[in-house]
Amino acid sequence: MISIVAETIEVLERRIDELRVAVRQAVLAGDRALAARQRSALTSAERAWEDALEEAAAQTEADPLARAGPVARGSVAQGKAAQSRAAEPPARSGSLLPLREQVYEALSLLQVPAAPKLIATVHEAFFGATFPTTRVTSLKRDEERSFRTAPFARPYYICAALSADYLAPSRGLLAVSTWPLELRVIGSLSPRVDFLTAAIRVAEAIERIPEPPAAARRLLQRFAASVSGAISAGGGADPAAVREAARAELTVHREADAKARRVAAERARGLQHAEQLFGTAMFRDRAGDGAADGADIAGRGAGE
Amino acid sequence: MTLLTAFARAEAAAAGRAQRIRTVRHVHLSRRPLVVIPLQLAGEACAPLAVMLGDDPDKPRTLTVYEPRDRARRFEFAADLAEVILGHLDGYLPPDDPDVHAGTPTQGAPAQGAPAQGAPTQGAPTPGAPIQGAPALEPLPDAPQLLVPNPNAAAFLRLLGRSTRLRRTDGEHAVRPTVPLLGRWLTHYGERAEVPGSALLLAMTTALAEHWATGQSDLEDANLAALLGWVDPPDGLTGQQAARLAEDPVRCPPAGPVTDPTFDNEVLEGRMAAIRDATEAGDGPALARAQAAMDAALHSQLAPTWDLMWRAHALLAELPEAAHAQRRWKDDRRSFTAQAAWLREGGAPQPRRDSAVAAAKRLARLEREQQRLAVERAHDDSLVMAEYRLTGEAFAGTVVDADLTRLDTDGKKPKLRPWLIVQTTDAVIVEPDAVLANPAFPGQAAKVIEVADASREPGRTLVTLELSGGMGRALTAPPGSTPARGDAVTYTTLRDDFQPAPQFPSREETPWTHGGPPPEYVPTDDDAQEAWS
Amino acid sequence: MTARQPGAGLQTGLDRLRGRALPKNHDARTISALAANPGCARRALMDAAGVDKQRVAAHVGFAAQFGQSRFAIVRGNAFEAQVKENGAAQLLILLRDLLDLDVSEVGYADFNDVGGNSSAELRHLHTRHVLTAPDQPGRTLLDHPLLRLRVGGRHAYLEPDLIALRLDGTFHVIEVKSFAVIDGQADPGKVAAAAIQSAVYVRALRDLVTEAGGDPAAVSHKTILVAPRDFSSQPTAASLDVRRQLGVLDRQLSRIASIETLLARYPGTLTFDLDPDAQGRPRRPAAELAAAIGQVAASYAPECLATCELCFLCRDEAGGTTGALGKPVREDLGGIEYIAQARSLARGQVPAPEQAEIAAQLLRAAQLRAQVLGEAV
């Protein structure tokens, strides 16, 4: 029984190798259809192989004398490299809060709309737990669905920031629904203004902690590198210096940005609630026919 | 590219196999070189993926990086690589016994970072170059030779050297001490590879293409498998057929360092994902399997090139070695010895950029070496000399008349100035007063006195030459110190001038036009950290 | 310099040449490659008609894959995203240095879609509107604007990574690449390719500005290259002067613009159609397709191996020519076209008068080789 399983494993391995070659040859020949077919055959073979391995492993537990598991054929890897890379403990996520609450924590520290990557980094730096950014992007979709099903049922929603020109959802940004509209609309100066504001918030947050973790200091360093005059002589980032430099630049942009946001917020107040939170779908192309009129565009953009 | 080599390519295309364009091997070839085949991950500046290396064709060692995007892993890999490479290098260094080692530099070698005090101003030594003012180091009897598949692989090793030699061994991003040491050696080898005629780090495609002309373009020659397909086609196949097969990346994986994209997309990505998943899940057995699978995949991409490298080595080794190849290899050995001494003295690592004086010196040295190489190659190899015969810068013929006792009585003292008349069928474009050289009589100059058509034989030219030098100080030439009547001779304008190297100011005296004296180079934290994100 | 509006006749002719497949779009890379070998009628026609050269080559048995490793693609995208995040914060600092940006010049505008709609026509209209409107409040960095360029009878949509628009109305094209700049130096081949690509964008932008009645000189010939510094992910920026590339590009584009004349040389029945079935498999007999391709002359050089999907096909055709061995080889052989010809002359064949000199050289070369190799062996 054991030898049959071992033989199956060998047969499968050969088949897998052949299929891999076949896939590559199909790709090289430009035959995408064939490549796709070979790839799915390959996936099936690989799954069968995994199953066969598990079966072999189970049998070995019953019969310790049998040799279990395939040996990777053709490998002559020597030296410590192959053996010494033992499995390392995976990065722990740690937090017991649901994702939406972690995102809320991070955004509340920043107090400006932010991208998933920044949100995750801020959370890791100040709240000790990290999450993959892919989960954050799907969160916005879930929140919209939840809102549309039962509007305002929850105390807050993780929502979109709206672009000032067409009030469409600003790509890649998340905000909190309880924030004033002025904070949740994005004018042309807003990305920079919000970045500088975020830098100040991060600096202040660090100053509140007696011994800031390395992740927080690294985050401040990255902010400082993109603010003129924020890096100290030694090359480090001191929270007070970062605050000062960011504030100094903010004074240049603040008024113009505030004005643009006020105007956009005014227009946004005319929208339905769901659209105020998750943006309009004005030009979104439903049938993929790209049907929108150039005249429309020339007319609207003037609101800036 | 010359007419002769272009013609050889045409012949190769018709013959279905490569044609020799050299009669001798112009590069030193070690009997036990260290063959190094690196693979890198696409998309990053210097992300090693795997290396296969060894000095024994039956015992390749493969080092794999399971997560090549992880910088920490990169330096672990570098430490493993260092063990192998430094281990090989150590075999050529004498034990660290000051009595045994000859010619240790005494004065003139400033300690790291400190300016020379009280000593006469001299340029700070460039690592690896002979140290001025110190007794010349006796070069070690042999030096390690590294062989890589192609120039891109050499550039990759050099880049790896650059990314590791400035690392700190303490502090937040500490690496093991062997890592910067490896970096400095790789940088040294990489820089030495730029010197014309050097054989310390040899790219096999370049070496093969120098000695054989294939029936394809030089762009296609950059593929080691295709090149070997022409030079040594398998039984029953023409060079072209063999080269076509070699171009199929599934059958014949590229020699690297860049991997085939279909391999990356269809095989490598999956193996790396499996390792990542198993690591995250903490599944030990699955991780071991996934790692073994990645090892096997990379081995499949490296093993064929390994075989090609040793085949190439064997083919080159069959050629007799050129006379001056040893002169150049001695310079290589000297460079290796000097670098080893520098390291032992605790010298600073090579800086990121050359200072103005160092750059100028280096350029002058490279030009000089290029000139010497051209002369030596022509003198060593009649096929190379044939190229100059075709352009008229050289001619071969027979000595039809000789006055070996002729004296020049113009000056205060009479001088021995024999005359030869050489008859040749080659084109001759040299003019009277040109000074020529004869490879068989180094150190002897031949001044052209007259060039005339042979009166009774069309297509033949008579060249009258006046010889000087290489005959001793007496007024009669010792027998055999000059060509004699009836000898076959070759004369060429290609001479080594033996010009002394130009004088450069010392570092401290760098003129203001070139930025003034550069600051002393001290490795900084900046270099050591070099942003990790 | 703007080409004439392509006539309906030309468009129909090109469509017929391509067959039923949808046209493959040009991008800056294909335009630069096309401009590099303008003498190749085969490539010029196929690219003008939007033929999928890879599928055509594969069907006649000369598949050449120009795939890219996903690792490179992912890394490139990740680096570009990093440079652009937070209103391109990292880039702003670099540009303050390189272009002397004023502190107030920080505006950011996203042209990846228009209110959620990412159709090319819409994005291009929006781009045109924004770039040519008289006063532009606070926009300095424009992310993925969509430009257009007429190449040999068709429009190509081109998408530079970024454009910087200064307070004084000057434009700078910005390209983000993921090859590293180490100790201030980068791979010269890659930098050269980036320069040509940037020149294509400069040309397209200048045309746009001209069409709107503006001064094309407002688009600077100094473009910006952003790339990772040393071995890190931190970006560094450098200025590229693309005047020379612009000159070359303009010359090549004007040669390509005469595609109508080129097309007129061939019968209206000529087509590279693959005649695919419902599953997309080509039904056209390979020999017939090969014959069609053969009707249009190519201009093969080994450099094609790195840039054109037809390379193996054309290389096979060029077998026996000295050009296949490389331009320098052909030149060294005095411009003689065929290997067999060169070899015959080297063996004493009587030359044509204009070949007398090279024939004498070849004869001598053969004699010398025979003499030396005879001696050596």
Side-chain angles (χ1 to χ4, degrees):
Chain A
M1 186 56 181
I2 293 159
S3 58
I4 292 175
V5 174
E7 203 187 286
T8 311
I9 290 173
E10 259 195 58
V11 164
L12 279 169
E13 283 182 352
R14 260 201 301 279
R15 176 134 178 78
I16 287 171
D17 282 344
E18 284 165 15
L19 280 170
R20 280 223 174 83
V21 168
V23 169
R24 291 177 64 193
Q25 282 172 341
V27 170
L28 283 165
D31 191 340
R32 290 184 208 115
L34 179 60
R37 282 198 303 277
Q38 304 281 37
R39 260 190 222 112
S40 61
L42 178 59
T43 315
S44 311
E46 282 173 329
R47 254 189 243 120
W49 181 73
E50 295 273 358
D51 292 341
L53 280 180
E54 277 179 30
E55 203 188 319
Q59 283 175 11
T60 318
E61 275 162 24
D63 179 357
L65 290 175
R67 268 186 307 165
V71 173
R73 286 180 301 129
S75 167
V76 293
Q78 296 178 29
K80 298 200 292 266
Q83 284 87 39
S84 69
R85 306 279 176 264
E88 275 146 11
R92 315 190 94 261
S93 6
S95 173
L96 300 169
L97 291 176
L99 181 64
R100 65 188 307 273
E101 300 198 23
Q102 295 182 58
V103 170
Y104 180 72
E105 274 184 320
L107 280 172
S108 301
L109 185 149
L110 287 171
Q111 287 292 308
V112 288
K117 194 166 143 197
L118 180 57
I119 294 172
T121 314
V122 165
H123 198 270
E124 190 193 11
F126 293 103
F127 302 96
T130 187
F131 36 78
T133 49
T134 38
R135 289 185 60 203
V136 182
T137 21
S138 49
L139 178 65
K140 189 162 44 158
R141 261 201 319 274
D142 298 339
E143 293 284 289
E144 182 172 359
R145 223 178 301 126
S146 165
F147 180 86
R148 285 185 187 274
T149 315
F152 297 111
R154 298 171 131 162
Y156 69 82
Y157 290 83
I158 305 299
C159 63
L162 312 185
S163 68
D165 47 9
Y166 304 117
L167 302 178
S170 197
R171 224 162 37 97
L173 289 180
L174 297 179
V176 178
S177 59
T178 52
W179 291 351
L181 257 177
E182 280 78 4
L183 192 48
R184 288 193 299 105
V185 291
I186 305 291
S188 69
L189 300 178
S190 307
R192 183 66 180 170
V193 166
D194 288 350
F195 175 76
L196 293 167
T197 310
I200 293 172
R201 301 265 181 275
V202 166
E204 288 171 346
I206 286 182
E207 284 173 323
R208 285 196 294 269
I209 311 176
E211 276 195 36
R217 280 184 284 116
R218 273 200 303 271
L219 179 59
L220 184 70
Q221 181 83 23
R222 290 223 287 272
F223 270 108
S226 296
V227 178
S228 304
I231 298 268
S232 317
D238 162 57
V242 173
R243 254 194 304 111
E244 272 324 296
R247 274 213 188 103
E249 193 185 320
L250 264 178
T251 54
V252 177
H253 314 305
R254 201 199 312 275
E255 220 178 282
D257 179 57
K259 177 167 171 225
R261 283 173 125 150
R262 255 199 318 277
V263 169
E266 231 2 85
R267 285 172 46 227
R269 277 185 241 289
L271 295 173
Q272 309 250 328
H273 289 301
E275 289 183 323
Q276 281 189 33
L277 290 186
F278 298 101
T280 64
M282 211 191 304
F283 295 112
R284 199 172 303 153
D285 139 56
R286 284 162 236 281
D289 56 6
D293 196 341
D296 247 358
I297 296 168
R300 295 243 187 231
E304 179 83 19
Chain B
M1 193 63 64
T2 62
L3 172 59
L4 264 180
T5 49
F7 176 64
R9 277 196 193 265
E11 291 290 290
R17 62 184 308 141
Q19 303 292 302
R20 295 248 299 268
I21 48 177
R22 299 282 183 265
T23 58
V24 290
R25 173 172 37 85
H26 293 270
V27 283
H28 170 83
L29 212 56
S30 173
R31 261 183 315 111
R32 244 171 151 62
L34 184 65
V35 168
V36 182
I37 306 171
L39 290 181
Q40 69 177 101
L41 187 72
E44 301 226 11
C46 185
L49 180 58
V51 170
M52 183 178 272
L53 74 169
D55 62 2
D56 180 342
D58 298 323
K59 299 207 189 90
R61 291 190 60 171
T62 309
L63 302 175
T64 311
V65 190
Y66 295 116
E67 185 37 274
R69 289 164 296 196
D70 180 342
R71 280 177 166 72
R73 292 269 178 273
R74 245 173 251 181
F75 293 102
E76 283 168 21
F77 163 83
D80 291 337
L81 184 65
E83 235 184 79
V84 183
I85 293 186
L86 295 178
H88 183 87
L89 261 52
D90 270 341
Y92 291 81
L93 295 171
D96 241 343
D97 184 353
D99 292 331
V100 170
H101 187 84
T104 324
T106 51
Q107 70 192 40
Q112 172 182 358
Q117 295 156 340
T121 43
Q122 21 188 323
T126 333
I131 299 167
Q132 283 175 298
L137 278 177
E138 188 58 38
L140 290 164
D142 200 2
Q145 181 178 52
L146 261 53
L147 299 183
V148 292
N150 51 49
N152 285 346
F156 180 78
L157 288 185
R158 190 167 169 178
L159 209 54
L160 190 56
R162 164 65 182 84
S163 76
T164 48
R165 74 173 188 261
L166 299 172
R167 293 283 148 182
R168 286 185 82 99
T169 55
D170 54 12
E172 206 184 329
H173 304 293
V175 298
R176 278 190 259 166
T178 46
V179 170
L181 187 56
L182 173 71
R184 295 170 61 169
W185 274 115
L186 288 178
T187 301
H188 182 79
Y189 270 74
E191 287 182 350
R192 186 76 196 159
E194 288 189 344
V195 177
S198 167
L200 214 49
L201 170 60
L202 215 52
M204 289 315 253
T205 49
T206 312
L208 288 169
E210 202 202 312
H211 297 80
W212 282 275
T214 63
Q216 58 184 13
S217 69
D218 57 358
L219 292 179
E220 290 154 298
D221 281 349
N223 177 331
L224 180 63
L227 178 51
L228 274 170
W230 277 96
V231 174
D232 183 28
D235 285 333
L237 291 179
T238 64
Q240 184 171 87
Q241 288 165 336
R244 290 286 177 273
L245 291 173
E247 283 177 348
D248 177 1
V250 183
R251 161 198 276 274
C252 198
V258 174
T259 48
D260 171 51
T262 64
F263 171 75
D264 282 4
N265 297 341
E266 309 298 332
V267 182
L268 186 61
E269 201 176 11
R271 310 272 170 138
M272 282 172 59
I275 289 179
R276 226 177 10 251
D277 293 341
T279 310
E280 265 168 42
D283 185 345
L287 181 63
R289 267 203 314 271
Q291 288 175 344
M294 183 151 157
D295 287 334
L298 289 166
H299 180 83
S300 77
Q301 298 296 291
L302 289 162
T305 306
W306 176 258
D307 293 335
L308 291 175
M309 289 292 287
W310 290 103
R311 239 176 88 202
H313 179 261
L315 286 164
L316 278 168
E318 278 170 17
L319 294 172
E321 195 172 278
H324 285 93
Q326 275 313 304
R327 193 278 300 166
R328 297 189 290 269
W329 180 243
K330 187 167 181 189
D331 275 353
D332 278 333
R333 285 189 283 128
R334 199 172 277 129
S335 144
F336 174 74
T337 311
Q339 174 71 359
W342 181 254
L343 287 170
R344 202 171 31 243
E345 302 300 308
Q350 302 95 335
R352 291 163 180 252
R353 305 288 298 261
D354 275 341
S355 65
V357 172
K361 276 186 184 165
R362 191 170 157 73
L363 208 54
R365 194 164 57 232
L366 292 183
E367 281 170 7
R368 173 113 186 75
E369 284 304 318
Q370 183 59 53
Q371 202 186 30
R372 281 178 91 175
L373 177 65
V375 173
E376 287 173 354
R377 276 216 295 244
H379 286 203
D380 288 349
D381 191 334
S382 34
L383 262 182
V384 179
M385 187 62 84
E387 292 176 6
Y388 294 98
R389 287 168 64 188
L390 203 52
T391 57
E393 291 163 281
F395 58 87
T398 322
V399 181
V400 294
D401 202 357
D403 180 356
L404 297 179
T405 53
R406 181 184 167 281
L407 296 179
D408 176 356
T409 47
D410 274 348
K412 278 187 269 185
K413 288 174 52 185
K415 291 174 284 209
L416 176 62
R417 290 287 180 268
W419 272 20
L420 298 179
I421 300 186
V422 177
Q423 184 180 83
T424 177
T425 51
D426 287 345
V428 177
I429 60 169
V430 294
E431 310 243 303
D433 283 344
V435 180
L436 309 180
N438 180 335
F441 294 89
Q444 186 168 92
K447 188 166 75 166
V448 177
I449 301 299
E450 192 192 15
V451 179
D453 287 334
S455 49
R456 274 170 300 161
E457 308 188 55
R460 287 177 201 254
T461 314
L462 294 171
V463 184
T464 309
L465 300 167
E466 178 177 291
L467 305 179
S468 59
M471 299 172 288
R473 294 181 169 244
L475 291 179
T476 48
S481 63
T482 68
R485 186 178 323 202
D487 284 353
V489 289
T490 306
Y491 279 95
T492 173
T493 53
L494 209 60
R495 290 169 60 230
D496 197 348
D497 289 16
F498 298 115
Q499 299 274 11
Q503 286 287 62
F504 286 99
S506 69
R507 264 172 74 94
E508 288 74 26
E509 292 166 352
T510 308
W512 66 271
T513 45
H514 290 73
E520 279 302 327
Y521 177 74
V522 179
T524 63
D525 253 341
D526 246 8
D527 296 328
Q529 278 185 27
E530 216 155 35
W532 276 65
S533 64
Chain C
M1 172 230 112
T2 45
R4 294 188 333 266
Q5 187 69 255
L10 173 62
Q11 201 50 58
T12 323
L14 291 173
D15 289 341
R16 220 184 0 249
L17 205 57
R18 180 181 68 255
R20 258 154 295 177
L22 287 172
K24 272 206 77 167
N25 292 316
H26 267 307
D27 55 29
R29 191 187 58 80
T30 61
I31 292 175
S32 351
L34 184 59
N37 192 357
C40 184
R42 184 178 292 173
R43 186 180 184 153
L45 268 184
M46 288 206 178
D47 281 349
V51 171
D52 186 338
K53 299 198 293 293
Q54 201 196 332
R55 299 198 70 203
V56 164
H59 189 52
V60 294
F62 286 100
Q65 173 64 245
F66 278 69
Q68 233 198 326
S69 167
R70 251 197 301 279
F71 294 110
I73 295 172
V74 165
R75 166 84 170 122
N77 290 342
F79 181 68
E80 192 184 327
Q82 181 199 309
V83 168
K84 289 180 175 178
E85 70 188 359
N86 300 319
Q90 285 179 328
L91 181 59
L92 273 178
I93 297 300
L94 293 170
L95 292 181
R96 280 178 181 173
D97 211 11
L98 202 57
L99 289 180
D100 231 353
L101 282 191
D102 185 61
V103 172
S104 64
E105 293 183 275
V106 300
Y108 194 86
D110 185 347
F111 290 75
N112 282 285
D113 57 60
V114 181
N117 186 318
S118 52
S119 96
E121 276 161 16
L122 206 52
R123 287 175 59 205
H124 177 61
L125 280 170
H126 184 52
T127 302
R128 245 197 0 227
H129 167 73
V130 169
L131 290 188
T132 57
D135 78 296
Q136 283 311 312
R139 281 193 179 95
T140 299
L141 288 177
L142 316 174
D143 179 357
H144 273 164
L146 201 62
L147 307 174
R148 219 163 58 163
L149 189 67
R150 277 192 206 94
V151 181
R154 277 190 27 247
H155 286 308
Y157 281 116
L158 302 172
E159 194 184 58
D161 290 330
L162 291 150
I163 293 181
L165 171 54
R166 306 295 311 276
L167 285 173
D168 64 1
T170 325
F171 294 95
H172 290 271
V173 167
I174 302 176
E175 270 301 281
V176 180
K177 295 291 182 193
S178 59
F179 57 81
V181 175
I182 301 188
D183 298 332
Q185 294 175 316
D187 179 318
K190 295 188 177 150
V191 173
I196 299 175
Q197 209 183 326
S198 301
V200 175
Y201 296 137
V202 169
R203 163 55 47 225
L205 189 51
R206 282 185 176 173
D207 284 355
L208 189 152
V209 167
T210 309
E211 272 169 41
D215 178 13
V219 182
S220 174
H221 56 254
K222 282 196 161 55
T223 68
I224 314 269
L225 173 65
V226 181
R229 199 177 80 151
D230 296 330
F231 301 97
S232 71
S233 293
Q234 301 313 299
T236 181
S239 173
L240 298 176
D241 182 328
V242 301
R243 269 176 297 192
R244 190 174 51 83
Q245 287 81 353
L246 278 168
V248 171
L249 181 69
D250 284 344
R251 276 196 301 282
Q252 314 294 41
L253 284 177
S254 65
R255 288 182 70 171
I256 294 168
S258 54
I259 204 78
E260 280 188 78
T261 334
L262 185 57
L263 187 59
R265 289 195 212 148
Y266 302 97
T269 48
L270 179 66
T271 175
F272 304 126
D273 192 5
L274 288 170
D275 191 22
D277 64 13
Q279 275 83 35
R281 283 184 290 241
R283 280 179 304 205
R284 181 105 177 267
E288 199 187 291
L289 179 58
I293 297 171
Q295 282 192 50
V296 185
S299 172
Y300 172 77
E303 286 74 7
C304 297
L305 293 168
T307 54
C308 177
E309 295 90 333
L310 295 172
C311 57
F312 289 157
L313 166 73
C314 303
R315 178 176 67 174
D316 190 67
E317 271 180 1
T321 66
T322 56
L325 301 177
K327 291 192 193 96
V329 172
R330 188 174 154 155
E331 277 164 17
D332 282 326
L333 292 174
I336 292 181
E337 221 185 308
Y338 293 100
I339 290 175
Q341 204 182 355
R343 295 184 72 233
S344 304
L345 289 173
R347 283 158 175 77
Q349 184 195 67
V350 177
E354 65 272 11
Q355 290 173 334
E357 197 180 321
I358 185 64
Q361 294 267 58
L362 282 169
L363 200 55
R364 191 81 188 106
Q367 284 170 356
L368 281 171
R369 273 186 66 85
Q371 189 186 89
V372 170
L373 286 173
E375 285 168 14
V377 171

